[in-house]
Structures are given as structure tokens and as C-alpha cells.
Amino acid sequence: MTQPRPYEDDGFDAGDDFVGDDFSLPSDPFLDAAAVEARLRGDMDAAQGFDEPLAPAPHAQQTPRSSGFGARLAAANRTEPDFESAADPVEPRPRATETQWRASELSAVPPGLYGEVDGNDSDVIQPVPRISIEAFCERPETGALIHHAGSDRRLSRAHVKVELGGLAGAIERFHDESTPNLLIVETGMRGPQLFAQLEELASVCDGDTKLVIIGAANDIALYRELIRRGVSEYLVPPMTPLHLIKTISGLFVDPDAPFAGRSIAFVGAKGGVGSSTIAHNIAWCMGEMQQMDTVLVDLDLSFGTAGLDFNQDPAQTISQALADPDRLDDALLDRLLVKCGERLSLFSAPATLESDWDFGAEAFETVLEKVRRQAPFIALDLPHAWAPWVRRTLLSADQVVVTVTPDLACLRNAKNLFDLVRQNRPNDAPPKVIVNMAGCPKKPDIPLKDFAGALGTAPALVLPFEPALFGAAANNGQMIGEVDARSKAAEGFAHVASLLTGRSSGTARPSRQGLKSLFGRKG
């Protein structure tokens, strides 16, 4: 991992400039995740080192790809093949004597051999349903990549099994066993030998099994012929775990189902750091400045402040939904959400101590899944508490934002949060860090370079200590952008909102010299 850029001084000063570290991908196309997407887009100038890009076969020659491999191959065999390989067949690699890889062995092989993890992909990849996936690989690197993909949060419901053996191993295994929902096979073969083995594999496959082949040849004719013969997808390195997950999701997620918005979890490294205030202001910027439909969910059931911050006192709150999550439908959810602007809706917390609010993790998961159908962006204001549902919500979010103050307790707690997130979300971008209340008078701050060094990333935003501005906004039930739209804090919130959504603010003002202290030190 790239080390954070060193800073010239240790203390905070209003004139200092801070910048997030730039992590660049390697230039080698076989290790460059960007080359994957360039190749799939057909941008051959960007994807140096590859032949003609893969393209889908004409739809008129295809059996619908929702059907299984065996059924589609049988339909394809009723038509004349239109493919002849100009290259000599490539013999498959010898099969290993031990077919089942242990998870520890797979974990020891770095997935970077196939590509860098592209956790900054802004696309929302839908979670894969409860399916069975079996992979038969020829290379340890491929097995490691599939193993790392299988541990991703989006495949948490699927059962993934990785073995050695390639195409021949798959044929041997399923002579006497039923095939899984998805079969992933790596093979270096081409031409008649490949097609003959595919025929044999189809004879032992169940009718609803889908087949993904990982090959070695970036050959457009081969790709089209495989699709015509019933293969669901043909992949060629370089690829990343995220690329494979996106492929699997595309095969099994119902295209007619409602979309799921991008969830952003805001959490404080300790109590009182201002995580809720930051979550509310950034959600407001998404809705009101960037004109993106956004839902803010206040999950601090006992002490939530979203209602106060937006000057709202709804009669119904998220507790009604959590009490009976199966009853929650779009009509009821519309009644529970409170409009705080043209594009921003609030799912308020009850903010009372009349109940223990002892809801299970499954209730929170069910409700949040339904909320994600309401808007492209969902801001989750998590409480400073640790419970199974908090952990699950944090790790299942598409992006995590950690708020800290520059003190030792926050440094320790933020490091623990980062370690937890990185361990459980290896294919996602690391959390973004916001340093709040920096430069508080008569209070020594931990140097920001120490935070950057410990967490492996520089802060996305540094907010100075401005009690008058934030106090006025809180007491008036307004956002910082409503109280003083030209303040550094208001422009800082708009900046982070644009980082999270990938869109610039429609009402953004020209940058002023003072704004540099929030975002970046020019080096």
C-alpha cells in the first residue's frame, strides 16, 4: 500500500493545507484493474497489450441467457457451428492430485496477481442471492481470486467452493453429483478439444446450471461461439474479485426487481465527535445541492438528533418499521418518511427512553433493504454503540465514513474500525476519514500525519473548531449551508458529498483560497 504523503509540520494551523493520499494503480496491463474496464468498453488505446475487445454475440443467434448451460448447448447444437479456431489447441494443465484447496492455502495467494482491488467503483453491485457456486481452476492465482471474491459481503449469502482440476475435474465430479447453480471453470483449451469437453460437461449438468469460463485467449470469435453454445460468460485476465462479483451478480440478480441505492454509513470513533452532525450536513448537500434523491436514516433510536437538526417532530419513526419489518411496504414507508427538502427525506429515530429498542439484526437488515429501494443514496447515521446489528450494518454499507477528533482515543478507535472494515471488506474502498474540531484552543492535537500514518490514508476533510457556527445551526434546526453557505465548513461538506456521489454540486461556488486548508496541501 502506498504510504501517506508526509506533512511539513505536526500541528494544525488554519492556514495549513491537507490532502488525501493518491493511490495509483500499476501501469502493467496484467496488474491494472483499469485495463479490465477499458478492455470491456472497447477502449483499446487505454487497454494496451490486448487484442480485440470482447463483444457479445448477436442476440439473434442466442438462446436466452437466463436458461441453464445444458439447455442452451442443446439448442445451439441444433444450428450449424460458425467457428473454426486458427490456433492450435492448448493442452490443459496437469490436474493436481489433491482436488480440494484449504481456505488457508487460498488466502496465502495474493489476489493482486490478477489485478488490483478496485474498491472505488461507484457502481452499486447488487448482493447475490442464496446460490451454490463451484469453481474448478487450473492456476492457484485463479483459485485465490475466486476465494477472495467469495468472502466479499455481496456473496455472503452464496455458498462458494473452489477446487483444482479445470474442465476435466468438473466433468469427473458431476458424473455422480448434481451441479450447482453456477459453475466456474478455468481452461486453457481452445478449438475442437474445448468444444468436445463442453459437450461432455453439458451431458452431466442440470438444466438450470449456468457456466462461466475463465480462459487464456482474448479471442472475439471464441467468445461468440462459447456464448452461442450456452456459456453464460467468458472472462480473460486481468480481472479483480470485484469484476468477478459483478459478473455473478449480473447473472443472478433479477433485472426486473427494484434497484438498490448506495448506502453510506457514518460512524464516530468515539462519542461526541460530531458524526451525526456531519452525516446530516452531507446528506443535505447530496439532496439540496447535488439534486440527488437521498434518504437520511437516524439509527440512534434513543438519542438521535436528526429530527432536531432538521426541525422536525414526526409522529411515526423508524421504530414502527423495526417492530414489524415484514409489514413494511412502499406505501407504508412513504408515510413514515418525512420530507426535509425537495430531494431529501428523513427516517427519524424515536429519540425516547421509553423502550429498550431491542430489535434483532435481521429486523434492521430487512428495513434498510427496503429503504434502499427509495432513493439512489442512503445516509446511515449509526450510534456510538457496538451491537451485532451495528456491526452488520457497518460492514454491509457501500461506503463508510469515520469521524474523529485529533486525540489519542479517536486514533486508537479509528485504527480498530479501519482494521475491522479492511479485514471484512477486502474488495471495497477503505473508509473515508473526517477530522472534526481541529485546532481547539488550549487543547493539544495529535498531529494529522500520525492519523494518516496509522490509518493508511489522509483525511478527506479537516474541519476547524467553529463552535459559534455549529451551535447556531443546531439551535435553529438548520444545516451549516443554510446558516452560512460561504463558510469553510459548508464548502467542505459539499466537497465530501461530491466525493461520495461522484457528482459536483450544481450550486457550487468558485473555490476560495481559504478552502485549501480543508482539502489539500499542494505538494
Side-chain angles (χ1 to χ4, degrees):
M1 178 179 293
T2 306
Q3 294 299 317
R5 181 181 298 134
Y7 295 94
E8 296 177 3
D9 56 63
D10 293 348
F12 173 85
D13 183 81
D16 284 348
D17 299 332
F18 301 97
V19 65
D21 196 18
D22 294 328
F23 294 90
S24 59
L25 293 172
S27 58
D28 185 347
F30 283 89
L31 295 179
D32 190 350
V36 177
E37 301 300 333
R39 175 168 57 82
L40 294 177
R41 290 195 308 266
D43 185 357
M44 303 315 297
D45 291 334
Q48 298 177 1
F50 296 100
D51 300 324
E52 184 178 354
L54 303 183
H59 291 286
Q61 299 179 9
Q62 295 186 37
T63 303
R65 296 178 69 173
S66 59
S67 58
F69 167 60
R72 291 170 56 204
L73 180 59
N77 286 339
R78 290 194 290 268
T79 64
E80 291 296 325
D82 58 359
F83 173 82
E84 292 185 3
S85 176
D88 294 331
V90 179
E91 293 294 331
R93 296 175 178 84
R95 187 180 180 190
T97 56
E98 184 180 5
T99 59
Q100 183 65 49
W101 271 328
R102 293 187 294 272
S104 59
E105 295 172 335
L106 291 173
S107 300
V109 182
L113 292 175
Y114 259 47
E116 293 293 322
V117 172
D118 184 12
N120 294 313
D121 191 348
S122 60
D123 294 340
V124 177
I125 302 177
Q126 302 292 337
V128 174
R130 290 178 173 85
I131 61 171
S132 58
I133 304 173
E134 293 198 36
F136 291 80
C137 307
E138 294 181 345
R139 297 172 40 142
E141 297 89 346
T142 308
L145 182 141
I146 298 173
H147 173 73
H148 284 279
S151 63
D152 188 270
R153 60 186 173 85
R154 285 152 288 216
L155 286 178
S156 60
R157 299 177 182 174
H159 180 73
V160 183
K161 186 176 180 181
V162 184
E163 299 185 17
L164 290 170
L167 191 51
I171 294 171
E172 179 179 333
R173 161 63 65 84
F174 297 117
H175 266 300
D176 302 317
E177 298 181 16
S178 60
T179 51
N181 302 111
L182 174 62
L183 184 58
I184 303 174
V185 176
E186 181 185 25
T187 178
M189 292 186 294
R190 297 176 64 187
Q193 184 179 9
L194 171 60
F195 301 138
Q197 291 219 347
L198 286 178
E199 292 271 3
E200 188 174 357
L201 178 62
S203 68
V204 300
C205 276
D206 298 338
D208 59 349
T209 296
K210 300 180 188 294
L211 175 64
V212 171
I213 291 182
I214 299 175
N218 187 24
D219 188 324
I220 186 65
L222 173 62
Y223 172 86
R224 287 174 174 163
E225 180 62 16
L226 289 173
I227 297 299
R228 192 188 70 83
R229 288 174 176 263
V231 175
S232 296
E233 192 59 84
Y234 178 69
L235 305 176
V236 180
M239 60 183 174
T240 66
L242 202 61
H243 180 203
L244 181 62
I245 295 166
K246 186 182 297 186
T247 298
I248 297 173
S249 177
L251 293 176
F252 286 93
V253 174
D254 184 2
D256 297 326
F259 81 101
R262 185 175 179 82
S263 60
I264 305 167
F266 293 84
V267 63
K270 70 173 187 176
V273 298
S275 176
S276 292
T277 298
I278 288 171
H280 304 166
N281 278 275
I282 291 177
W284 181 85
C285 289
M286 290 178 182
E288 299 306 303
M289 296 184 67
Q290 298 179 354
Q291 294 297 295
M292 300 292 296
D293 288 320
T294 304
V295 176
L296 172 62
V297 184
D298 190 348
L299 293 171
D300 192 346
L301 302 184
S302 298
F303 301 101
T305 59
L308 292 175
D309 285 351
F310 287 95
N311 199 22
Q312 299 286 341
D313 187 19
Q316 294 179 305
T317 65
I318 193 174
S319 60
Q320 278 83 16
L322 292 171
D324 192 1
D326 294 331
R327 178 173 168 263
L328 185 65
D329 55 18
D330 291 344
L332 177 58
L333 187 55
D334 283 339
R335 293 200 299 270
L336 295 178
L337 294 178
V338 178
K339 296 291 288 183
C340 295
E342 182 181 352
R343 299 275 187 169
L344 178 63
S345 299
L346 171 63
F347 211 174
S348 181
T352 70
L353 302 180
E354 297 176 357
S355 173
D356 293 335
W357 310 120
D358 188 18
F359 301 113
E362 293 76 13
F364 283 93
E365 183 178 4
T366 300
V367 169
L368 293 179
E369 282 184 357
K370 294 179 180 180
V371 173
R372 290 182 65 190
R373 301 175 187 172
Q374 299 296 308
F377 292 96
I378 313 299
L380 306 176
D381 181 10
L382 291 174
H384 182 67
W386 201 241
W389 73 265
V390 175
R391 176 189 174 97
R392 184 182 295 188
T393 303
L394 182 71
L395 296 179
S396 63
D398 294 301
Q399 178 68 63
V400 176
V401 178
V402 180
T403 300
V404 301
T405 52
D407 56 57
L408 185 59
C410 276
L411 178 57
R412 180 200 64 183
N413 295 348
K415 180 67 165 59
N416 291 338
L417 282 171
F418 264 65
D419 291 343
L420 173 72
V421 170
R422 281 175 171 149
Q423 179 182 356
N424 290 274
R425 298 158 50 96
N427 304 315
D428 289 274
K432 295 189 181 300
V433 182
I434 295 179
V435 178
N436 193 21
M437 294 184 280
C440 182
K442 299 182 181 181
K443 178 185 175 184
D445 288 352
I446 295 246
L448 295 181
K449 70 175 184 180
D450 291 346
F451 265 95
L455 304 181
T457 184
L461 177 65
V462 178
L463 290 169
F465 182 64
E466 295 183 291
L469 174 62
F470 282 83
N475 291 337
N476 295 333
Q478 293 179 302
M479 296 295 102
I480 299 298
E482 296 175 299
V483 175
D484 186 357
R486 293 188 173 273
S487 65
K488 293 181 181 180
E491 296 189 31
F493 289 137
H495 170 75
V496 175
S498 68
L499 292 179
L500 295 173
T501 63
R503 292 185 52 169
S504 60
S505 300
T507 58
R509 295 172 175 81
S511 298
R512 298 179 292 162
Q513 185 69 20
L515 190 59
K516 294 180 181 178
S517 62
L518 294 177
F519 309 137
R521 166 171 300 184
K522 302 296 183 181

